[in-house]
Amino acid sequence: MTITTLHTSVSYTGDGATVAFPVTFQFFNASDLIVYERVIATGVATLKTITTDYTVTGGNGLTGTVTAVSAPANTVKWEIYRKTARTQEVDLQPLDDLPAETLEDMDDRGVLIDQEIEARSVQIDLAAEGWDAGNRRIINVATPAADSDAATKEYVDDTLAASGNVPAPADPGDNGKILTA
């Protein structure tokens, strides 16, 4: 097969009626798909379980369909991600026939995995000479130890509160001034 798309995920907003959601990218096994239900208002996501919450048809190097057991409400989105198993199951034997399809499937799995890694990575913006998180949150940041370390919002808020400084009210004319208690 050939890899015809760069996409590794797709999402659909529920409508209370639709249960079939096309998987518009190639995958091999049903277990290569991960499905989350995200509440639109809060952003809270819940991992769905195959067979309990949905079934999968297709795959084997092609696209397919995720079918919900019950139609998602219009207050949620279903997000479908591909996460190809990081295993190599082909055991090539010396002097055996080597079908082209076997080699191609091995290479295709590697390409799918590369796509997934790139889609989930923080990218370097060469023009800006910086990191681009792709509008995603950075989570699990440790407490900073050096001046150049990243800090969490909680750490900054706690440090400001402990110092007696509080952020200025959200007033467009305040120019970001800090008020001291």
Side-chain angles (χ1 to χ4, degrees):
M1 98 181 157
T2 58
I3 306 298
T4 59
T5 181
L6 298 176
H7 303 287
T8 63
S9 65
V10 64
S11 67
Y12 298 95
T13 300
D15 63 8
T18 303
V19 295
F21 302 102
V23 178
T24 56
F25 47 84
Q26 294 153 284
F27 64 98
F28 281 94
N29 302 309
S31 60
D32 292 343
L33 299 181
I34 298 171
V35 178
Y36 285 97
E37 182 176 86
R38 186 173 306 276
V39 177
I40 295 168
T42 64
V44 173
T46 303
L47 179 63
K48 305 308 277 183
T49 304
I50 193 165
T51 66
T52 303
D53 300 311
Y54 65 94
T55 59
V56 176
T57 55
N60 203 22
L62 302 172
T63 60
T65 304
V66 166
T67 303
V69 171
S70 59
N74 64 358
T75 57
V76 299
K77 289 190 326 183
W78 268 39
E79 300 171 347
I80 304 165
Y81 297 90
R82 184 184 68 220
K83 185 176 181 190
T84 305
R86 304 312 196 250
T87 57
Q88 199 291 98
E89 299 173 3
V90 177
D91 184 17
L92 302 175
Q93 299 297 314
L95 305 176
D96 265 3
D97 289 338
L98 187 57
E101 193 66 29
T102 300
L103 285 177
E104 195 170 5
D105 281 352
M106 290 170 56
D107 188 49
D108 289 345
R109 284 181 183 275
V111 170
L112 296 181
I113 291 168
D114 287 347
Q115 289 177 340
E116 294 158 18
I117 291 169
E118 183 175 349
R120 292 172 180 86
S121 299
V122 175
Q123 303 295 311
I124 297 174
D125 184 336
L126 297 175
E129 296 182 2
W131 296 96
D132 181 354
N135 203 30
R136 293 183 297 259
R137 295 178 318 126
I138 298 173
I139 60 174
N140 298 324
V141 176
T143 301
D147 289 346
S148 61
D149 287 354
T152 64
K153 179 184 179 304
E154 179 182 27
Y155 177 83
V156 172
D157 290 347
D158 290 349
T159 301
L160 284 173
S163 71
N165 293 326
V166 292
D171 177 2
D174 70 8
N175 295 322
K177 297 174 191 159
I178 299 292
L179 302 177
T180 46

